Amino acid sequence: MHLKFLGLAATAVTALSISTTAEARTQMHAVGSSTVYPFAKIVAERIGRANPTLGTAIIESTGTGAGMKLFCAGVGERFPDVENASRRMKASEAKLCQQNGVSAVTEIQVGIDGISLATAKSTPLQNVSTRDIYMALAKTPWGKPNRAKTWHDVNAKLPNLPIRVYGPPPTSGTRDALGELIMAAGCDSNAGMAAVKKADENKYKAICTAMREDGGYIEAGENDNLIVQKLEANAGTLGIFGYSYLEANSDRLKGLQINGVSPTYDTISTFKYPGARPLYIYIKNAHAGAIPAVRAYAAEFTKESAFGPNGYLRRSGLIAAPNTIRAHSQQLARALSPLNLASLK
């Protein structure tokens, strides 16, 4: 039996036949971000109800980084069709894709999210700065071992509360975005770091984004619901996850202000909130012809019915991108125009 995957290359359409010894896969397979995961499940279920012939999609919450490795591992039914991502693809990941024949990939922004710091409503912590967060969670703040035990050690205006924060592992796009948007911003509050960055990018990254490993920061895996449960069970602790999880548990948890800005739909959609970031899906174009649900998935994730005032994804906590970006995403979903992989950083 042969499964034909139609791959769109930059200059030609190439048909790839992959031999199989079992039934050819017909259902869509997506991997990636735990932040995008709940929305991906909703979209896939909606597609399945509308057109049962497309089959039941397989959606896995692997984390963005781990998902990229799977997505870029090759072309054929053993490999995922879609990568859900809470950050952009990296140049190193694009290189891996190209090395394994995954040369035509469409990048589609599907919304905006905000990295939220949440805690139990009774926790006596309301507002922290990016500098406070960096000093509390960095492994070596400004090059020195982190000795802070409490939030008061970090900032005399903060309560004498032990630093204990549950957050994502290195495979997570949320962890990458935390480093880039929050930790690096706090690190840069020290004027001397500009010279370090200019002289040695790797040293700068290690100082500014490496997380402490002595119990102050606890890797809680890719299951954000598990972090929510840990916050409920451990008063005074904090958790880091996407805004939708905070909104879904707002009766039990509160979001901390960062630099005086609360994580809300409006502050995240306008990027006033320091932790705001775009969310993406990546389509493997070589699979789109063989697995019809792939095109349906891209189209459904960009429909106006998902993001209008009563849109079903908006009601579920996904923040809509600006109108111009949504229009561009809809166009990409129709044409599956390939991304210039060489443009990634």
Side-chain angles (χ1 to χ4, degrees), residues 114-128 133 231 237-243 245-264 267-268 273:
I115 301 169
S116 302
L117 267 70
T119 188
K121 289 182 177 292
S122 60
T123 301
L125 197 60
Q126 302 292 338
N127 181 23
V128 291
I133 298 169
L231 298 188
T237 60
L238 276 65
I240 298 172
F241 40 67
Y243 168 74
Y245 289 90
L246 172 61
E247 185 181 58
N249 295 279
S250 59
D251 58 329
R252 296 176 288 176
L253 304 176
K254 66 179 180 181
L256 298 186
Q257 294 181 353
I258 299 180
N259 294 347
V261 181
S262 297
T264 68
T267 62
I268 295 170
Y273 180 68

Side-chain angles (χ1 to χ4, degrees), residues 74-91:
V75 173
E77 64 179 302
R78 292 189 298 113
F79 306 103
D81 314 307
V82 176
E83 158 74 357
N84 301 318
S86 58
R87 57 158 173 80
R88 285 201 85 190
M89 178 182 281
K90 298 177 180 179

Side-chain angles (χ1 to χ4, degrees), residues 23-93:
E23 278 299 312
R25 175 167 63 81
T26 57
Q27 76 272 42
M28 188 192 82
H29 181 195
V31 293
S33 166
S34 63
T35 299
V36 180
Y37 175 78
F39 309 119
K41 290 284 287 183
I42 293 169
V43 168
E45 289 166 1
R46 193 176 180 91
I47 292 170
R49 288 195 300 270
N51 191 348
T53 62
L54 296 179
T56 302
I58 301 169
I59 311 290
E60 293 187 83
S61 175
T62 63
T64 297
M68 286 289 186
K69 290 180 181 178
L70 295 168
F71 178 79
C72 291
V75 173
E77 64 179 302
R78 292 189 298 113
F79 306 103
D81 314 307
V82 176
E83 158 74 357
N84 301 318
S86 58
R87 57 158 173 80
R88 285 201 85 190
M89 178 182 281
K90 298 177 180 179
S92 59
E93 293 162 341

Side-chain angles (χ1 to χ4, degrees), residues 15-317:
L16 300 176
S17 295
I18 292 93
S19 296
T20 64
T21 57
E23 278 299 312
R25 175 167 63 81
T26 57
Q27 76 272 42
M28 188 192 82
H29 181 195
V31 293
S33 166
S34 63
T35 299
V36 180
Y37 175 78
F39 309 119
K41 290 284 287 183
I42 293 169
V43 168
E45 289 166 1
R46 193 176 180 91
I47 292 170
R49 288 195 300 270
N51 191 348
T53 62
L54 296 179
T56 302
I58 301 169
I59 311 290
E60 293 187 83
S61 175
T62 63
T64 297
M68 286 289 186
K69 290 180 181 178
L70 295 168
F71 178 79
C72 291
V75 173
E77 64 179 302
R78 292 189 298 113
F79 306 103
D81 314 307
V82 176
E83 158 74 357
N84 301 318
S86 58
R87 57 158 173 80
R88 285 201 85 190
M89 178 182 281
K90 298 177 180 179
S92 59
E93 293 162 341
K95 183 178 180 180
L96 178 64
C97 270
Q98 291 174 311
Q99 288 173 342
N100 291 319
V102 184
S103 57
V105 175
T106 297
E107 175 190 79
I108 303 173
Q109 184 178 334
V110 295
I112 303 172
D113 178 55
I115 301 169
S116 302
L117 267 70
T119 188
K121 289 182 177 292
S122 60
T123 301
L125 197 60
Q126 302 292 338
N127 181 23
V128 291
S129 66
T130 52
R131 182 186 177 97
D132 295 334
I133 298 169
Y134 172 72
M135 292 177 66
L137 301 183
K139 182 177 181 179
T140 55
W142 299 305
K144 298 179 181 180
N146 198 333
R147 307 296 186 195
K149 300 297 183 183
T150 71
W151 288 95
H152 187 75
D153 293 338
V154 166
N155 183 338
K157 295 181 180 179
L158 299 178
N160 190 26
L161 187 73
I163 297 170
R164 192 168 175 81
V165 180
Y166 292 99
T171 53
S172 169
T174 298
R175 172 75 165 264
D176 290 330
L178 172 68
E180 294 171 9
L181 300 175
I182 306 296
M183 297 291 287
C187 184
D188 289 344
S189 65
N190 182 323
M193 292 311 299
V196 175
K197 185 175 184 179
K198 185 176 180 180
D200 189 336
E201 184 79 26
N202 290 331
K203 181 178 180 181
Y204 168 84
K205 186 174 181 180
I207 292 173
C208 290
T209 65
M211 308 297 282
R212 62 193 301 175
E213 301 170 341
D214 59 356
Y217 181 84
I218 306 151
E219 292 180 3
E222 296 288 358
N223 187 340
D224 292 337
N225 283 316
L226 181 61
I227 297 180
V228 171
Q229 294 169 15
K230 287 182 179 295
L231 298 188
E232 285 191 292
N234 299 275
T237 60
L238 276 65
I240 298 172
F241 40 67
Y243 168 74
S244 64
Y245 289 90
L246 172 61
E247 185 181 58
N249 295 279
S250 59
D251 58 329
R252 296 176 288 176
L253 304 176
K254 66 179 180 181
L256 298 186
Q257 294 181 353
I258 299 180
N259 294 347
V261 181
S262 297
T264 68
Y265 189 99
D266 289 340
T267 62
I268 295 170
S269 65
T270 57
F271 284 85
K272 292 179 181 177
Y273 180 68
R277 52 159 177 183
L279 301 178
Y280 302 92
I281 60 173
Y282 289 87
I283 305 297
K284 190 176 294 178
N285 292 4
H287 288 199
I291 309 292
V294 173
R295 281 187 176 273
Y297 183 78
E300 187 64 38
F301 234 131
T302 58
K303 282 184 177 178
E304 284 301 313
S305 59
F307 291 105
N310 294 311
Y312 69 94
L313 288 180
R314 182 169 179 170
R315 291 198 308 271
S316 299

